[in-house]
Amino acid sequence: MKTRIYLLAICCLFLSSVSAQKSNKKKSKAVAEVATPVLPSGKALYFKNDPAMDRFITDLMAKMTLDEKIGQLNLPSSGDFVTGEAKNSDIGKKVEEGKVGGLFNIKGVAKIRDIQKVAVEKSRLKIPMIFGMDVVHGYETTFPIPLGLASSWDMNLIEQSAKIAAQEATADGICWTFSPMVDVSRDPRWGRVAEGSGEDVYLGSQIAKAMVHGYQGNSLADKNTMMSCVKHYALYGAVEAGRDYNTVDMGRLRMYNDYLPTYKAAVDAGVGSVMASFNEVDGIPATANRWLQTEVLRNQWGFGGFVVTDFTGINEIVNHGLGDLQHVSALALKAGIDMDMVGEGFLTTLKKSLNEGKITQADIDQAVRRILEAKYRLGLFSDPYKYCDLNRPKTEVYNQQNRSVARSIASQSVVLMKNANEVLPLKQTGTVAVIGPLGDNPENMPGTWSVAARHKEAISLLKGLKETMGDKVNFVYAKGSNFEYDAELESRSAMFGKNSYRDTRPVAEIIKEALEVAKKADVIVAALGEASEMSGECSSRSDISVPQSQKDLLVELKKLGKPIVLVLFTGRPLVLNQEKEIADAILNVWFPGSEAGYAISDVLFGKVNPSGKLPMTFPRSVGQVPLYYNYKSTGRPEKDEDKFEKFKSVYLDIPNSPLYPFGYGLSYTTFNYSDISLSSSKLQGNQTLKASVTLTNTGKYDGAEVVQLYIRDLVGSITRPIKELKGFQKIMLKVGESKTVTFDITPESLKFYNSDLKYDWESGDFEIKIGGNSNDLKTATINWTK
Ligand code: BGC
């Protein structure tokens, strides 16, 4: 009885702080106007000092045996047993024995309730478990892949997508998501670029904050919010040769300036947990790297949550060559890892290591405390069934409201890369031929890491077009080609229930059929690109082109002499030279999520004017990789990116410039940028510079433009990038309308980590650059002294 009253009191404390926070919440500004919402400081929000929590956990830990403590550090994958079988499964037995702290890969509130019941009714101390999942871009309602979401450059929408994901996942029993993935990457060969926000540390940091806030809301104690886990800490996006799980080797300056800030942004936003990455950092796997997990994460950044390994991350340290499982488990714990995903290195060896004096009781206690704190903050000690309301999924998951938002976000994420002769938007009349392996393939619409999606129910392009256009437009369809000529290669990307519907007829026959169908049409919509599992984990590619089978189809279609709109599906930047030549228009839709077909139709037929911008550079050749906009000048820079000059830093065979630069994306309308006007060109100390342009919609459609601010530090104590993104605003303009767009710039935007790893700025000249993509910018020069 006493404990009950105690728990009730704790609960009340939580609730009162929640409502106080709710009333403090600022109203977010209009979507079209400002892309960066002001978020409350996360760390203060989620990691408040809580003496009641401390006392509760101290008391609980005093009752725990060593085995029970080590059990809390264990995170198995469920194997997804059926309701009612929990007790009899191996996991069920372990839960009963107190050997499990949490579970993941389990879907369905009834199953989760079932296993939670074992934990809180059968285990000795009745400690509730946490339930995790890769809710990466939506739950059953899926949003575009993260690289697509990033293309919207709209932080309010991205935050909203995470909020809806949290609402659906929590309704179905999940309280912890392994998201956001914030690995900056400059290498499109790496398949996991699909899961992140691209190449830029500033954009990536804004998105990291928006997502953490979307998932965690104003309190972890709310039943609609879940704990976020930022991953993969750290530097995973810089794996050599773009090959997954490969070595990372990077100097500290690059780490601090270009790769670490996105993780730090998530920590500053108050992320509840961090996932260690598979790769090594400075010769020590991240999972065993004390400098990373404790010195930087906790001592420098003040992280207060817990750290989980990636899938068998501890066991893999053995392969990295640091010793046997007992040794590497001890290394991981000492480094600052708190929870062991799947591998059971902690479960099976920590006791022995403690007895042998290789780790201390304090090392174990610290990890246990951090995990219990997370459970406490989630409100699980007050109500272990808080996320187990069997009625919630019926109305809160995959409902019409969430799906409409997903449709709208998907249409905001597409990037128009070419539009010759204004072939788009399409006329709402005549016959349209939809041709290609992605033309009518629902399972491939949600994209990689969509574990909870209803793949078969996702809206294919053909279905979306037909349903949105009704009788106005006649649609004809043919597949035209397989994803790949090579069946074995194709099968590698037809996993996780993502059917490729391979057509086994001879190639000539498949193409002939498509040409017959396309002949009847006024315009051809070629739905080509990657199958969704051609990007994602362990989907590195050495050749990042559209597969040959689809290129050949496109060449044949071109011979019909009809306008061709390439609707490009991809999880990474591709090399598109040939496609750029052949297609009249290119609409890059990434993988748009469960509402794909509707969203693409909205854009193709002009209901939505595209406004997405690329978060990653598209190269001309894989030989240019890594290719990114914020490079540094060599001692022999080329004068003209597109011209060869001997003894300059260039290639013999191709220009240095990309095919499509970072920040690029067209609209159905056109925008004009005025020159930059400055509040002053000489500044001192902590002043604020106002830099403005007048943006005018000079075309025929209302539309939105992402106005981008870049800064170049012309002279530094270390070499500095030729430009760096420092701000952006998404501006909506009616036809003929003009608006003044102003950026407030303070010395904060001039800061970087110098040779002493001190974060500071230096007096001198700077270029302020504003425009619609990283290659097309107006420039003004200023001088700023301390
Ligand atoms: C991935 C993580 C993921 C984890 C759990 C790993 O293979 O690298 O991103 O969160 O599995 O599913």
Side-chain angles (χ1 to χ4, degrees):
M1 186 64 187
K2 249 189 189 165
T3 14
R4 275 221 202 125
I5 294 169
Y6 182 50
L7 289 177
L8 200 73
I10 291 163
C11 193
C12 290
L13 257 174
F14 264 125
L15 290 177
S16 58
S17 72
V18 173
S19 57
Q21 283 148 20
K22 265 192 187 151
S23 60
N24 284 340
K25 203 197 166 193
K26 289 190 186 130
K27 251 188 137 187
S28 52
K29 298 186 185 160
V31 169
E33 293 297 320
V34 176
T36 314
V38 184
L39 304 178
S41 162
K43 267 193 279 194
L45 197 58
Y46 309 110
F47 292 101
K48 292 201 198 84
N49 274 345
D50 189 341
M53 173 179 82
D54 296 343
R55 273 195 307 277
F56 176 81
I57 293 175
T58 303
D59 288 353
L60 179 58
M61 283 178 63
K63 293 181 204 135
M64 292 171 83
T65 64
L66 177 60
D67 285 329
E68 283 165 337
K69 285 181 176 173
I70 294 173
Q72 284 301 307
L73 314 185
N74 186 29
L75 177 71
S77 164
S78 88
D80 221 1
F81 43 75
V82 182
T83 305
E85 289 175 9
K87 279 200 301 289
N88 307 326
S89 67
D90 177 46
I91 299 259
K93 196 163 155 277
K94 283 199 171 121
V95 170
E96 200 168 324
E97 291 166 1
K99 289 184 178 160
V100 178
L103 262 187
F104 74 107
N105 269 351
I106 175 169
K107 181 167 188 290
V109 65
K111 278 185 252 176
I112 290 176
R113 191 182 172 90
D114 198 38
I115 192 80
Q116 185 72 302
K117 203 165 158 71
V118 178
V120 298
E121 290 183 19
K122 301 274 178 193
S123 75
R124 194 179 73 90
L125 289 173
K126 312 190 184 331
I127 299 174
M129 296 199 297
I130 46 171
F131 295 90
M133 189 187 268
D134 291 275
V135 183
V136 173
H137 50 111
Y139 189 68
E140 288 192 11
T141 302
T142 44
F143 300 97
I145 54 166
L147 197 60
L149 281 172
S151 305
S152 74
W153 294 56
D154 190 322
M155 300 307 114
N156 288 306
L157 284 189
I158 292 174
E159 183 178 335
Q160 198 186 0
S161 77
K163 194 173 170 188
I164 290 174
Q167 184 205 5
E168 290 199 1
T170 54
D172 212 17
I174 303 295
C175 59
W176 181 30
T177 177
F178 304 136
S179 173
M181 186 279 217
V182 303
D183 304 325
V184 168
S185 184
R186 295 167 166 180
D187 194 334
R189 292 171 299 182
W190 192 50
R192 303 201 79 168
V193 297
E195 297 171 53
S197 299
E199 73 188 37
D200 185 61
V201 71
Y202 178 83
L203 179 61
S205 298
Q206 303 305 316
I207 293 174
K209 282 189 237 169
M211 294 209 65
V212 170
H213 198 245
Y215 290 132
Q216 298 194 162
N218 283 328
S219 166
L220 286 174
D222 282 355
K223 73 175 177 34
N224 289 331
T225 62
M226 62 181 163
M227 183 170 56
S228 163
C229 180
V230 65
K231 68 189 188 185
H232 307 81
Y233 182 69
L235 321 181
Y236 186 24
V239 282
E240 284 179 357
R243 184 157 52 76
D244 212 356
Y245 319 124
N246 206 2
T247 304
V248 170
D249 192 1
M250 188 187 290
R252 292 276 154 106
L253 280 178
R254 180 163 276 190
M255 283 186 204
Y256 273 81
N257 282 313
D258 301 320
Y259 283 82
L260 289 178
T262 52
Y263 309 98
K264 182 172 184 298
V267 169
D268 289 344
V271 74
S273 61
V274 170
M275 186 186 292
S277 58
F278 287 126
N279 55 281
E280 66 171 68
V281 172
D282 276 346
I284 301 177
T287 310
N289 195 315
R290 189 171 163 82
W291 174 76
L292 209 58
Q293 305 300 348
T294 297
E295 177 51 32
V296 176
L297 184 64
R298 294 190 185 276
N299 300 347
Q300 292 179 19
W301 298 351
F303 174 63
F306 74 89
V307 182
V308 63
T309 71
D310 202 342
F311 205 105
T312 60
I314 292 178
N315 314 60
E316 292 176 24
I317 309 173
V318 177
N319 289 340
H320 279 286
L322 262 59
D324 64 15
L325 186 62
Q326 183 191 347
H327 180 66
V328 301
S329 300
L331 282 181
L333 185 75
K334 285 266 180 207
I337 299 292
D338 304 304
M339 197 171 224
D340 175 4
M341 188 191 282
V342 174
E344 300 200 341
F346 279 178
L347 193 74
T348 56
T349 70
L350 286 189
K351 198 170 181 179
K352 187 158 183 265
S353 291
L354 182 66
N355 291 337
E356 291 169 4
K358 292 181 176 143
I359 56 169
T360 63
Q361 183 65 49
D363 293 330
I364 295 177
D365 284 355
Q366 176 177 268
V368 176
R369 180 173 285 276
R370 288 175 185 152
I371 286 160
L372 295 176
E373 281 176 359
K375 293 180 176 184
Y376 188 97
R377 290 196 173 100
L378 284 164
L380 289 168
F381 284 109
S382 313
D383 178 6
Y385 300 111
K386 189 181 139 200
Y387 303 95
C388 295
D389 177 347
L390 302 186
N391 287 317
R392 270 187 73 192
K394 290 177 204 153
T395 54
E396 294 185 38
V397 176
Y398 199 63
N399 60 29
Q400 201 41 57
Q401 199 186 342
N402 294 352
R403 293 183 58 192
S404 309
V405 178
R407 172 175 176 169
S408 151
I409 293 182
S411 68
Q412 296 297 320
S413 300
V414 304
V415 184
L416 181 65
M417 295 169 66
K418 181 178 176 186
N419 193 17
N421 308 319
E422 296 184 30
V423 62
L424 289 179
L426 295 175
K427 295 187 187 58
Q428 303 192 5
T429 167
T431 298
V432 174
V434 178
I435 311 284
L438 287 143
D440 195 19
N441 185 321
E443 290 91 336
N444 274 273
M445 296 299 102
T448 191
W449 277 117
S450 48
V451 286
R454 301 188 187 194
H455 289 101
K456 284 192 184 340
E457 289 170 53
I459 308 302
S460 78
L461 176 56
L462 185 64
K463 185 174 177 179
L465 289 167
K466 282 184 169 168
E467 287 187 13
T468 46
M469 284 297 121
D471 296 336
K472 280 193 245 167
V473 181
N474 176 36
F475 293 100
V476 289
Y477 163 77
K479 186 170 177 188
S481 83
N482 284 309
F483 281 111
E484 301 266 7
Y485 282 133
D486 181 348
E488 152 66 15
L489 189 53
E490 181 168 304
S491 71
R492 292 181 198 162
S493 50
M495 55 198 317
F496 302 129
K498 288 163 191 167
N499 203 330
S500 69
Y501 297 102
R502 190 163 181 84
D503 190 333
T504 52
R505 290 176 297 162
V507 171
E509 203 177 309
I510 304 174
I511 292 200
K512 188 162 171 265
E513 177 191 68
L515 294 177
E516 288 301 322
V517 168
K519 256 186 218 159
K520 297 179 210 143
D522 302 304
V523 55
I524 299 168
V525 170
L528 310 177
E530 296 191 317
S532 70
E533 290 304 323
M534 280 168 77
S535 51
E537 187 172 351
C538 193
S539 290
S540 298
R541 294 177 70 199
S542 68
D543 175 356
I544 51 171
S545 319
V546 171
Q548 195 59 45
S549 56
Q550 301 182 56
K551 274 178 177 289
D552 291 347
L553 169 65
L554 192 62
V555 168
E556 290 305 315
L557 290 171
K558 178 72 179 171
K559 292 180 188 160
L560 297 176
K562 296 178 187 283
I564 298 183
V565 175
L566 169 59
V567 172
L568 180 74
F569 292 81
T570 182
R572 56 154 61 80
L574 295 175
V575 169
L576 293 170
N577 303 302
Q578 195 184 7
E579 292 74 10
K580 191 181 175 190
E581 285 287 308
I582 293 179
D584 298 279
I586 302 179
L587 189 69
N588 173 11
V589 301
W590 308 106
F591 290 98
S594 50
E595 312 310 305
Y598 298 143
I600 301 170
S601 178
D602 289 344
V603 178
L604 285 177
F605 285 99
K607 191 173 157 200
V608 175
N609 186 353
S611 58
K613 300 276 188 176
L614 297 176
M616 223 177 152
T617 306
F618 275 52
R620 294 171 187 276
S621 157
V622 75
Q624 291 175 301
V625 168
L627 183 68
Y628 48 95
Y629 83 92
N630 50 345
Y631 60 89
K632 294 182 174 181
S633 176
T634 65
R636 294 186 175 196
E638 75 286 4
K639 274 203 210 83
D640 178 341
E641 273 199 321
D642 293 325
K643 285 212 182 95
F644 175 79
E645 217 186 323
K646 194 67 185 167
F647 304 118
K648 297 289 184 192
S649 181
V650 293
Y651 297 100
L652 281 177
D653 53 348
I654 49 167
N656 280 1
S657 61
L659 194 64
Y660 293 108
F662 174 82
Y664 175 84
L666 303 172
S667 163
Y668 294 155
T669 195
T670 46
F671 295 102
N672 179 66
Y673 283 77
S674 72
D675 286 338
I676 299 175
S677 72
L678 301 170
S679 56
S680 165
S681 58
K682 263 198 138 344
L683 292 110
Q684 215 173 5
N686 250 353
Q687 287 183 315
T688 298
L689 166 68
K690 285 186 180 297
S692 313
V693 290
T694 304
L695 183 73
T696 307
N697 182 341
T698 48
K700 293 189 293 201
Y701 301 88
D702 298 347
E705 166 76 338
V706 179
V707 180
Q708 301 158 42
L709 165 75
Y710 297 81
I711 299 181
R712 178 173 190 174
D713 185 351
L714 284 163
V715 179
S717 60
I718 58 168
T719 58
R720 306 282 293 118
I722 63 149
K723 61 192 107 170
E724 293 174 289
L725 183 72
K726 291 293 175 186
F728 54 88
Q729 295 180 42
K730 198 164 181 176
I731 304 295
M732 182 75 206
L733 287 182
K734 296 215 175 303
V735 175
E737 195 186 357
S738 290
K739 265 186 196 164
T740 303
V741 182
T742 302
F743 291 96
D744 288 344
I745 305 168
T746 66
E748 203 50 38
S749 295
L750 311 178
K751 286 184 178 172
F752 61 97
Y753 288 92
N754 64 23
S755 289
D756 302 324
L757 292 181
K758 198 170 159 237
Y759 192 57
D760 203 359
W761 63 288
E762 296 170 354
S763 300
D765 292 339
F766 300 86
E767 282 176 356
I768 305 296
K769 295 162 178 286
I770 301 179
N773 73 65
S774 65
N775 254 12
D776 189 7
L777 300 162
K778 302 282 183 182
T779 301
T781 306
I782 56 153
N783 178 275
W784 209 322
T785 46
K786 283 203 162 185

